Amino acid sequence: MAIEQARKTMEHSQLDYLQWDIDVDSIPPSLRPGTFDVVTCRLSLAFLDTNRLLVDIGRLLRPGGSFYVLTRVEDVTDDHRKNDVADRFHRGLDEEQIGRLGNTWRDRLTWTISPQYRAILLRGFDG
């Protein structure tokens, strides 16, 4: 299991690992709202319930905290990719989804990393 491997690889008195199904479970009590400086989501946002995640992350961040997202950009006109078994592990957001991301946050910065990747930084959750 990934958590066991992480514990073996990186041990520190102020570091802990936690399994949390963020699409189903409530925020674990050990994760105190308003205490996180930064939360990152690398190449995984397209697999999650985005609306719920943004609310939960907004609650966890301290005032001034940031949510950083790196996502693939999907071309919705490319129909053959939707049925490609190999691509089910390489999902991304389309331009419309990326455009709506962070509508309930005060600040949003977006960087085009390449035609296939975007980075988004959100601050100031207003949800």
Side-chain angles (χ1 to χ4, degrees):
M1 174 177 258
I3 292 177
E4 292 168 6
Q5 183 63 35
R7 284 185 179 127
K8 290 177 187 175
T9 305
M10 186 64 170
E11 189 175 330
H12 189 281
S13 64
Q14 293 182 335
L15 185 61
D16 194 14
Y17 299 92
L18 171 71
Q19 183 173 335
W20 170 27
D21 184 339
I22 58 178
D23 277 343
V24 178
D25 300 335
S26 300
I27 296 174
S30 62
L31 301 179
R32 294 182 325 220
T35 61
F36 286 75
D37 292 317
V38 66
V39 174
T40 65
C41 189
R42 186 177 182 271
L43 303 176
S44 56
L45 190 60
F47 295 92
L48 304 170
D49 178 345
T50 305
N51 293 329
R52 178 181 173 159
L53 178 68
L54 289 172
V55 170
D56 284 349
I57 297 304
R59 290 178 180 149
L60 289 172
L61 289 171
R62 68 170 179 75
S66 300
F67 180 40
Y68 172 80
V69 175
L70 177 66
T71 186
R72 283 176 48 100
V73 179
E74 289 294 315
D75 180 358
V76 293
T77 62
D78 195 357
D79 288 332
H80 81 276
R81 289 182 55 91
K82 294 177 185 172
N83 298 319
D84 189 343
V85 173
D87 282 334
R88 70 179 174 194
F89 298 110
H90 301 285
R91 290 185 195 163
L93 302 176
D94 64 39
E95 293 289 353
E96 183 179 329
Q97 291 168 314
I98 291 169
R100 287 192 316 260
L101 191 64
N103 285 342
T104 58
W105 296 65
R106 284 188 300 276
D107 299 316
R108 172 196 158 118
L109 298 170
T110 303
W111 296 271
T112 299
I113 306 301
S114 74
Q116 294 85 24
Y117 294 95
R118 290 283 159 55
I120 302 115
L121 183 70
L122 303 175
R123 290 190 191 125
F125 178 68
D126 281 334

